[in-house]
Amino acid sequence: MGAEGRALARDPQPKPGRFGGKSLYTIAIYVILIVAVFISLLPFGYVVSTSFKSTMSLFSYPPDWLPENPTLDNYRNLLNRYPFWRWLFNSFVVAGSVTAIKLVVDSMAGYAFAKMRFPGRDALFLVVLMSLMVPFAALLIPTFIIIRELGMLNTYWGLILPGLASPIGVFMMRQFIESLPSDLENAARLDGCSEFQIYRRVILPLIKPGLVVLGVFTFMTQWTSYLWPLVVVTKPEMATLTVGVRSLTSTFTQDWGLNSAAAILSMLPTILVFIFLQRYFIAGSIAGALKE
Amino acid sequence: MQEQAVTQTTRPRALALSEEEHQRLQRRYQRRRSLTAYLFLLPGAIFFFAFLVIPILLLFFYTFNNGGIISEREWVGLANWRNVLRDDLVITAIKNTVVYCLMAIPAVFVISMVLALVLQQAARGGSAFRSLLYIPTLAPYVVAALLWQFVVHRDFGILNMILVEFGQEPRNWLGSPDLALRSITMLEVWRGVGFWTLLFLAGLIGLPKELYQAAAIDGANAWQRFRYLTIPLMRPTFFFAVVMATIWNLQLFDSVSILTNGGPQNSTVTVVWYIQQTTFAYTDKVGFGAALSFMLLLLILFLALIEIRLLRKR
């Protein structure tokens, strides 16, 4: 959010009793934040530690926070005995494809809703708003039947296509594009640009932050999706990460070290993506999407 | 690009059009523009129809049938609806799901709002704290649920270690019927805080600064500014958050499926879990699952519309 946001964030009223009051206040703020971050991250620390423990030392009591003899056995096990790379690849293909297709399709629809005038526009947009309320989980059965009729069980398309129906992206893109001044597109129109050229050359570059927000949101939703892959995939080699990691646990036994290693490895890509893009993601751009 | 515009907009001067001709051209232009708009909507509309509109219609059709996934489909009339309304587990599932929402949504909103306000006050390091707080949200449920087992595990979970440290009896967080749903709620709150904090913070940053300055000049204290400025001004954000949280949380499935699988003694059976079980897990009660799905759809629409009603007015 940078300097502007920080200036806004500061309390406009100077605190009375400058020294004592103010510093106590600041200390309280950071104590709350540190406690919150500690609670957020504590379980991760425990899992990282467990992923380096040997199976024998897992159940020592009282449990220790740091592994006594750190070992990479769990990671070796996971990568040698299970098709972990394949799961990772599948998740990337699915989440990547859904994100790429949705960015194009939703920004096009958003542009039409935001800037074009055509009969039935408001009625159609109302349909989009209403459909935000449709829970995907309730459409599990008919979606499964449609995908099966299309012969797409255990295929990438079967995993990808249902994710493309979600209307939230159209809604977000419309809000973003509507906030752009119309002068730029009108200038381009006078230059003889076609609507597609305006979309491609004027609108898309201007809504880059919005595209990043929608892209990260879509990618994360797909990356963490569990219910749909669980239903549509029965072959182990088509499993996505979530289903694959889950399959490591049989009903009666649980190899905690192995599961922890899998948890860490399957989260690494999302954390990397997030760190790389968080500048955009947090830039308050969501606020733009929320304005009514 | 703009310089170009100037040179190219020199129009041909003698372009005398009759009124009729003018209108005809304008209509043609309007038609062309509408057509372009529809073309822009077309790709999205295809997916929207194929995987949202048609599934809803198909779902409604399947509530009057049975079979269709493993066995042959057959028409059974209203039997599924009758069975769903008579099924005790359906009542339990709806009750659990609603109780969960009533615990989770207020908890996560209060915590997130407090953290958003605190983050807004943090002059330094705010962005680092924000990113760290967001990390739990990045965990897929499969991972989050695994992490949570380390927290609530009976023998070596963090929570019980703390309890023992304070001289309390360790508890069976996932194994006892009165604690299991609460443990699930804690997980969901833990995972959701980052997301909602970010959303509320984005809303707070967008508030008009001048009003706060005016209020401060008028001598309003921090609490008054919060009560009479922040809360009313945040209404659009809260409005969106409450509706979306209701829609999402009523679909609770992943964590339940992984941590408790509905148990112990059906204390964590949720609506979506029951749909998944009846349809895909070991039975082939597709029609029953479809009727239950349709009920979920109606329940969510109903609650969302009530919330929209309540929050829009006032």
Side-chain angles (χ1 to χ4, degrees):
Chain A
M1 63 186 217
E4 192 197 350
R6 213 165 290 143
L8 279 175
R10 216 171 281 146
D11 205 300
Q13 189 193 33
K15 286 268 159 341
R18 278 190 75 86
F19 195 74
K22 184 105 188 175
S23 61
L24 211 70
Y25 183 72
T26 312
I27 289 171
I29 278 174
Y30 285 100
V31 167
I32 294 174
L33 286 178
I34 288 167
V35 169
V37 166
F38 183 74
I39 294 173
S40 295
L41 298 187
L42 185 67
F44 289 102
Y46 208 69
V47 172
V48 171
S49 148
T50 306
S51 74
F52 292 110
K53 282 179 188 169
S54 62
T55 323
M56 290 311 283
S57 71
L58 262 178
F59 291 97
S60 63
Y61 197 87
D64 22 59
W65 286 94
L66 289 173
E68 242 168 67
N69 306 303
T71 161
L72 283 175
D73 281 356
N74 294 315
Y75 290 92
R76 234 172 266 137
N77 245 337
L78 175 70
L79 298 181
N80 292 339
R81 278 205 234 144
Y82 299 90
F84 186 84
W85 295 117
R86 178 69 201 232
W87 297 338
L88 193 78
F89 176 75
N90 291 345
S91 275
F92 259 113
V93 170
V94 173
S97 312
V98 173
T99 308
I101 299 172
K102 273 204 87 61
L103 284 179
V104 175
V105 167
D106 289 353
S107 58
M108 281 174 69
Y111 176 47
F113 276 125
K115 295 288 187 187
M116 296 184 187
R117 251 180 280 146
F118 54 90
R121 183 184 69 170
D122 296 341
L124 284 176
F125 192 66
L126 193 69
V127 171
V128 171
L129 283 182
M130 287 289 289
S131 63
L132 281 174
M133 289 176 229
V134 175
F136 174 75
L139 301 183
L140 199 61
I141 296 168
T143 309
F144 178 83
I145 290 169
I146 291 171
I147 290 294
R148 192 185 59 181
E149 290 306 307
L150 293 172
M152 287 177 178
L153 295 183
N154 287 307
T155 65
Y156 287 123
W157 283 115
L159 286 161
I160 292 167
L161 285 176
L164 300 175
S166 156
I168 196 159
V170 177
F171 173 68
M172 278 170 72
M173 285 296 110
R174 185 246 190 189
Q175 306 299 86
F176 271 114
I177 297 171
E178 202 170 40
S179 65
L180 300 177
S182 290
D183 303 354
L184 285 164
E185 3 147 8
N186 287 337
R189 205 162 284 139
L190 287 178
D191 278 356
C193 282
S194 68
E195 288 296 323
F196 187 78
Q197 282 170 321
I198 296 174
Y199 159 76
R200 176 76 194 73
R201 305 241 179 94
V202 180
I203 302 291
L204 279 190
L206 286 173
I207 56 164
K208 220 188 234 165
L211 289 173
V212 173
V213 172
L214 178 62
V216 172
F217 183 77
T218 310
F219 192 88
M220 296 302 176
T221 311
Q222 289 299 318
W223 190 265
T224 57
S225 150
Y226 177 62
L227 180 57
W228 178 245
L230 184 71
V231 166
V232 81
V233 165
T234 48
K235 289 184 185 155
E237 72 267 21
M238 284 308 294
T240 57
L241 259 182
T242 49
V243 176
V245 169
R246 176 63 185 153
S247 73
L248 297 176
T249 312
S250 68
T251 321
F252 301 107
T253 60
Q254 185 153 12
D255 185 336
W256 295 96
L258 184 75
N259 274 289
S260 302
I264 299 303
L265 285 188
S266 57
M267 268 199 74
L268 271 186
T270 41
I271 292 185
L272 289 180
V273 169
F274 180 70
I275 291 173
F276 188 61
L277 293 175
Q278 63 113 349
R279 188 163 57 92
Y280 292 95
F281 195 49
I282 299 182
S285 322
I286 326 175
L290 294 181
K291 277 182 216 132
E292 279 176 289
Chain B
M1 203 174 210
Q2 273 176 343
E3 283 154 86
Q4 248 182 359
V6 175
T7 53
Q8 283 192 2
T9 45
T10 45
R11 280 180 226 137
R13 293 177 73 198
L15 201 71
L17 286 177
S18 69
E19 187 64 15
E20 209 174 292
E21 184 76 354
H22 177 79
Q23 278 183 353
R24 196 183 63 82
L25 281 175
Q26 193 171 12
R27 269 202 305 275
R28 208 179 68 179
Y29 173 71
Q30 284 299 349
R31 254 206 312 276
R32 267 246 313 274
R33 285 204 68 184
S34 302
L35 193 70
T36 320
Y38 292 131
L39 283 177
F40 268 81
L41 292 177
L42 186 66
I46 292 173
F47 297 128
F48 188 78
F49 273 94
F51 296 103
L52 212 106
V53 178
I54 295 176
I56 293 175
L57 300 176
L58 202 59
L59 178 69
F60 190 63
F61 174 71
Y62 266 85
T63 61
F64 304 109
N65 290 273
N66 214 356
I69 285 182
I70 302 168
S71 51
E72 281 291 301
R73 181 185 61 77
E74 53 164 346
W75 184 266
V76 294
L78 286 170
N80 293 319
W81 284 100
R82 234 174 286 140
N83 290 339
V84 162
L85 294 174
R86 269 199 220 130
D87 193 297
D88 285 340
L89 204 52
V90 168
I91 312 231
T92 311
I94 291 177
K95 199 196 87 202
N96 286 341
T97 312
V98 171
V99 167
Y100 156 75
C101 284
L102 290 176
M103 292 193 291
I105 298 175
V108 83
F109 277 13
V110 169
I111 296 173
S112 303
M113 190 61 202
V114 168
L115 285 175
L117 285 167
V118 168
L119 269 173
Q120 197 192 14
Q121 301 292 313
R124 283 175 190 204
S127 67
F129 280 114
R130 267 190 322 238
S131 306
L132 291 173
L133 283 174
Y134 198 77
I135 286 184
T137 306
L138 298 177
Y141 273 100
V142 186
V143 173
L146 174 79
L147 295 183
W148 210 241
Q149 285 182 308
F150 287 96
V151 177
V152 295
H153 194 276
R154 192 185 192 160
D155 301 320
F156 58 99
I158 300 171
L159 219 52
N160 276 349
M161 278 164 69
I162 296 170
L163 281 181
V164 169
E165 204 70 32
F166 283 98
Q168 303 255 333
E169 280 291 299
R171 295 188 187 178
N172 195 355
W173 292 99
L174 289 174
S176 73
D178 26 313
L179 284 178
L181 193 63
R182 270 182 257 175
S183 305
I184 300 276
T185 308
M186 285 196 289
L187 161 64
E188 297 286 337
V189 170
W190 172 78
R191 189 179 180 272
V193 159
F195 178 82
W196 294 113
T197 303
L198 210 69
L199 194 108
F200 291 147
L201 185 66
L204 285 175
I205 289 170
L207 298 185
K209 205 172 117 196
E210 307 80 34
L211 282 175
Y212 284 85
Q213 285 164 341
I217 290 167
D218 286 347
N221 63 31
W223 165 253
Q224 285 168 329
R225 289 199 303 265
F226 175 71
R227 173 67 189 81
Y228 297 106
L229 279 180
T230 309
I231 299 249
L233 287 172
M234 285 284 282
R235 182 178 291 277
T237 309
F238 289 145
F239 173 72
F240 176 85
V242 168
V243 175
M244 289 320 280
T246 310
I247 296 169
W248 288 336
N249 281 294
L250 284 171
Q251 300 182 60
L252 180 67
F253 169 78
D254 295 12
S255 52
V256 165
S257 157
I258 294 160
L259 279 178
T260 59
N261 211 17
Q265 293 165 36
N266 297 331
S267 62
T268 56
V269 168
T270 65
V271 178
V272 174
W273 180 87
Y274 198 28
I275 294 169
Q276 193 262 351
Q277 290 290 305
T278 49
T279 319
F280 296 101
Y282 40 73
T283 53
D284 183 32
K285 290 158 74 180
V286 180
F288 185 90
L292 190 55
S293 304
F294 211 82
M295 259 181 70
L296 177 69
L297 191 78
L298 294 179
L299 182 74
I300 288 180
L301 275 179
F302 177 70
L303 288 177
L305 288 176
I306 286 186
E307 285 171 352
I308 290 173
R309 254 282 170 42
L310 287 177
L311 289 164
R312 266 276 160 83
K313 296 241 168 104
R314 273 203 290 171

